[in-house]
Amino acid sequence: MTLSKDLRIRSKVISEGVNRVPNRAMLRAVGFQDEDFLKPMIGIASTWSEVTPCNMHINDLAIHAKEGAQRHGGAPLIFNTITVSDGISMGHPGMSFSLPSREAIADSIEIVTNAERFDGIVAIGGCDKNTPACLMAIGRMNLPAVYVYGGTIQPGILDGRKVDIVSAFEAVGSYHDGRMNDEELHKVECSACPGPGACGGMYTANTMAAAAEAMGMTLPGSSSIPAIAQEKKQECERAGEAVLGLLEKGIYPKDIMTKKAFENAITVAMVLGGSTNLFLHLLAIAHSVGVDLTYDDFERIRVKVPHLADLKPSGKYVMQDLNDIGGVPSVMKLLLERGYLHGDCITVTGQTLAENLAEVEPLPEKQDIIRSFEQPLKPTGPLVVLRGNLAPEGAIAKMSGMKKLRFSGPARVFDSEEEATEAIVKDEIRKGDVLVIRYCGPKGGPGMPEMLSVTALIVGKGLGGEVALLTDGRFSGGSHGFVVGHIAPEAQVGGPIALLQEGDMVTIDSEAQSLTFAVTEEELERRSRQWTAPQLKAVSGALGKYARLVSSASKGAVTDLLD
């Protein structure tokens, strides 16, 4: 295909001039010929890896994206970056590396793209940190770019019922409670993950993919097309074409990722009942494009938006089920018709969101995955910001599927996830307790580890909704129950959670949106004077750098915050 104009907005520094003969000689070794130097260079950022089912197929998808860009006049090159499997790193020291991997992925895409002077980017991600990391890099560089989500995994089938990775975590709790034997546990282990794709419920990967689509950074349907579907390969080919269209039209990420686009992302995630990690990641992406996004924006939208999707972890269905009835585009069409979305936002197709949705089929009348506005699962969004003397900067709770809206009980305080896990396994945690796991924040963790193993144990022990869990760490999108995370300021910097003592009465009130403990100001001041910051758990290497640089969770836990 012949392009209508020269789209080499950066690569000319390599492809032209006598002084660049050595540079071009290197590219000839990887397959470039004379005509390729007249084309825009397109980077295909692949997060392929064998360490997780979420990303095991992405190498093939990257090849399809390369073919699409090549066929439509680009000179594409595939490069790789890392990924971390949250499911495999969960419940042990490896989880400290999960959130920092977001920064490493973003940094590495930025480094390669800028060093090689690519003119545009197609980035393909799978596991939880991939989507925000790719969008952060895209936002920082502000080069024409399209994001492709690797797609969701199919549910496993065990004894006629659907199972997934959260089923495996919760089975461990059932085993420890004596309600499951070795053979039954092994069957769950062998059935939960049947092949490629990210965890199937409305967990973090699917939440962020839906947010990216709502934001206009993916082609329509990207977030709900399953990993193994032929349509996913076709999407990658179209993404390779689309990035050239963006170059031709002069559309850049900052034109797409506007404040209104972030509002669309929050709206869709609230309706779908997404993960609490949405806050961390959208704040970080917004920071990368210079959009002023705060907890107040999430709250402003939450109170107007109903929770409609009956999706796991608190519901019955998985993303593939949603895809079968029209996927995220059909949900967005419904929201646009009801006035919940900004239809005038430009997207990577070069068209507005409203134009993209014009030909989308509406949701079928007979389905129970997406509830009606008249009978929502919850009249407002389920992701709630709490504040109070225990979380002056804020904390995040997910209230989907919860019958209780208020919980009050004595604090059971632990300074590590391991100590808390041991107490649960030994039946030392009782109904009515408020389990507190602290020194797990961005700096204190370091890396703000997720608590899926702990929440799954609680559910598996039959204590779901009967025990509250508070942490300055965070939760997997698969966590459910009375859980509050992202408590800020964190314990490591002397936040009030560091001053909490065993037996203090803690109250979580989602209606009042408060998180408090019954201690006077005078007593808090006394405890604060006696408190001494512990040494950082990591002082060198990747975690040491991260712990020294990372911001508060309330600022997105980014490592390039200047103030």
Side-chain angles (χ1 to χ4, degrees):
M1 175 180 172
T2 303
L3 296 170
S4 62
K5 58 183 178 181
D6 189 350
L7 302 181
R8 295 174 297 165
I9 58 175
R10 301 205 308 174
S11 63
K12 272 188 179 180
V13 299
I14 293 170
S15 58
E16 291 189 352
V18 172
N19 291 346
R20 293 293 172 255
V21 165
N23 309 61
R24 293 193 293 275
M26 299 285 285
L27 285 168
R28 289 181 188 277
V30 299
F32 269 47
Q33 297 182 17
D34 285 349
E35 60 268 24
D36 294 310
F37 293 110
L38 301 177
K39 301 172 183 177
M41 288 178 63
I42 306 299
I44 312 294
S46 167
T47 57
W48 171 80
S49 176
E50 290 183 332
V51 305
T52 173
C54 311
N55 296 60
M56 61 188 282
H57 61 304
I58 285 176
N59 194 43
D60 290 338
L61 297 183
I63 291 169
H64 283 281
K66 179 177 180 177
E67 289 172 351
Q70 213 158 26
R71 194 161 47 247
H72 290 87
L77 292 167
I78 298 172
F79 66 95
N80 276 82
T81 182
I82 66 163
T83 191
V84 165
S85 170
D86 279 19
I88 297 172
S89 61
M90 195 78 67
H92 56 79
M95 180 41 65
S96 283
F97 291 86
S98 171
L99 189 57
S101 78
R102 185 189 73 180
E103 311 304 300
I105 295 165
D107 290 350
S108 63
I109 293 174
E110 179 187 358
I111 287 168
V112 174
T113 300
N114 282 334
E116 304 301 319
R117 308 317 290 164
F118 291 138
D119 301 301
I121 289 290
V122 176
I124 311 171
C127 200
D128 292 14
K129 306 307 168 296
N130 297 177
T131 300
C134 289
L135 294 179
M136 287 162 65
I138 287 167
R140 290 177 195 171
M141 297 181 296
N142 198 34
L143 287 175
V146 178
Y147 178 69
V148 176
Y149 178 46
T152 185
I153 196 171
Q154 289 186 300
I157 303 296
L158 177 60
D159 299 329
R161 63 186 176 90
K162 293 177 180 178
V163 292
D164 61 11
I165 190 62
V166 175
S167 308
F169 276 103
E170 292 180 358
V172 173
S174 297
Y175 177 83
H176 283 300
D177 203 38
R179 293 184 286 114
M180 185 174 284
N181 60 34
D182 290 288
E183 182 182 353
E184 292 167 329
L185 186 64
H186 188 251
K187 283 184 179 179
V188 175
E189 178 182 328
C190 294
S191 305
C193 299
C199 300
M202 191 43 59
Y203 312 143
T204 302
N206 282 331
T207 297
M208 292 312 302
E213 182 170 340
M215 212 182 303
M217 285 305 299
T218 76
L219 296 177
S222 180
S223 62
S224 39
I225 298 172
I228 64 169
Q230 185 64 30
E231 294 93 328
K232 184 56 69 175
K233 295 176 183 177
Q234 295 165 359
E235 178 196 344
C236 287
E237 292 175 6
R238 289 188 291 114
E241 176 186 2
V243 73
L244 291 162
L246 293 171
L247 270 166
E248 202 143 21
K249 294 171 184 172
I251 298 174
Y252 291 79
K254 287 185 179 180
D255 299 322
I256 298 171
M257 289 193 279
T258 62
K259 182 68 173 276
K260 291 201 296 186
F262 280 96
E263 290 175 348
N264 285 345
I266 295 168
T267 297
V268 169
M270 289 287 182
V271 167
L272 295 177
S275 162
T276 52
N277 284 311
L278 176 79
F279 289 77
L280 273 181
H281 298 326
L282 283 188
L283 288 170
I285 298 164
H287 173 68
S288 77
V289 290
V291 168
D292 182 22
L293 193 70
T294 70
Y295 280 175
D296 291 339
D297 294 304
F298 288 83
E299 271 301 307
R300 173 173 52 81
I301 293 166
R302 182 191 70 81
V303 296
K304 299 176 183 177
V305 176
H307 176 201
L308 302 179
D310 193 11
L311 296 169
K312 288 188 173 187
S314 55
K316 294 187 293 186
Y317 297 100
V318 295
M319 190 60 122
Q320 182 162 313
D321 297 320
L322 178 59
N323 188 66
D324 291 343
I325 62 166
V328 170
S330 292
V331 175
M332 289 172 61
K333 186 181 183 78
L334 174 67
L335 295 175
L336 182 66
E337 289 172 349
R338 291 293 190 113
Y340 285 98
L341 296 179
H342 302 291
D344 58 342
C345 290
I346 197 72
T347 74
V348 294
T349 65
Q351 297 183 304
T352 65
L353 189 72
E355 288 171 331
N356 287 346
L357 296 174
E359 302 302 318
V360 169
E361 291 292 322
L363 290 165
E365 290 184 16
K366 292 185 178 180
Q367 56 84 25
D368 57 356
I369 300 171
I370 303 297
R371 298 285 189 89
S372 69
F373 285 92
E374 292 70 37
Q375 292 183 307
L377 289 161
K378 195 174 183 295
T380 56
L383 302 173
V384 181
V385 177
L386 307 177
R387 289 187 173 93
N389 67 348
L390 192 48
E393 289 181 14
I396 310 299
K398 184 173 182 178
M399 302 306 298
S400 56
M402 295 302 299
K403 294 177 181 177
K404 294 180 182 177
L405 299 177
R406 190 176 188 277
F407 195 108
S408 189
R412 302 296 312 281
V413 183
F414 299 90
D415 289 347
S416 73
E417 183 182 356
E418 293 76 17
E419 292 171 351
T421 298
E422 185 178 354
I424 297 167
V425 170
K426 290 182 177 179
D427 295 323
E428 294 173 359
I429 304 300
R430 309 275 189 247
K431 287 184 179 181
D433 285 345
V434 176
L435 180 62
V436 179
I437 306 177
R438 63 189 179 187
Y439 293 101
C440 296
K443 291 181 180 294
M448 213 177 172
E450 292 180 343
M451 303 291 167
L452 179 55
S453 294
V454 176
T455 58
L457 271 176
I458 289 170
V459 172
K461 282 279 191 179
L463 294 172
E466 301 294 342
V467 168
L469 172 56
L470 309 182
T471 181
D472 51 4
R474 60 197 177 91
F475 295 106
S476 161
S479 293
H480 56 108
F482 226 116
V483 296
V484 180
H486 305 217
I487 293 175
E490 63 174 292
Q492 184 68 37
V493 299
I497 191 173
L499 312 179
L500 196 61
Q501 294 181 358
E502 188 82 8
D504 284 345
M505 289 300 294
V506 176
T507 299
I508 309 158
D509 192 327
S510 66
E511 289 187 307
Q513 294 180 240
S514 63
L515 179 61
T516 58
F517 63 131
V519 177
T520 64
E521 285 293 327
E522 293 75 20
E523 174 62 13
L524 269 181
E525 288 178 13
R526 186 189 68 80
R527 293 183 189 182
S528 182
R529 287 193 299 270
Q530 293 179 342
W531 178 82
T532 303
Q535 183 178 352
L536 290 171
K537 292 172 189 168
V539 294
S540 63
L543 288 184
K545 283 190 290 186
Y546 181 85
R548 288 193 299 275
L549 292 172
V550 69
S551 72
S552 167
S554 65
K555 300 290 185 183
V558 296
T559 54
D560 61 345
L561 196 65
L562 297 179
D563 52 13

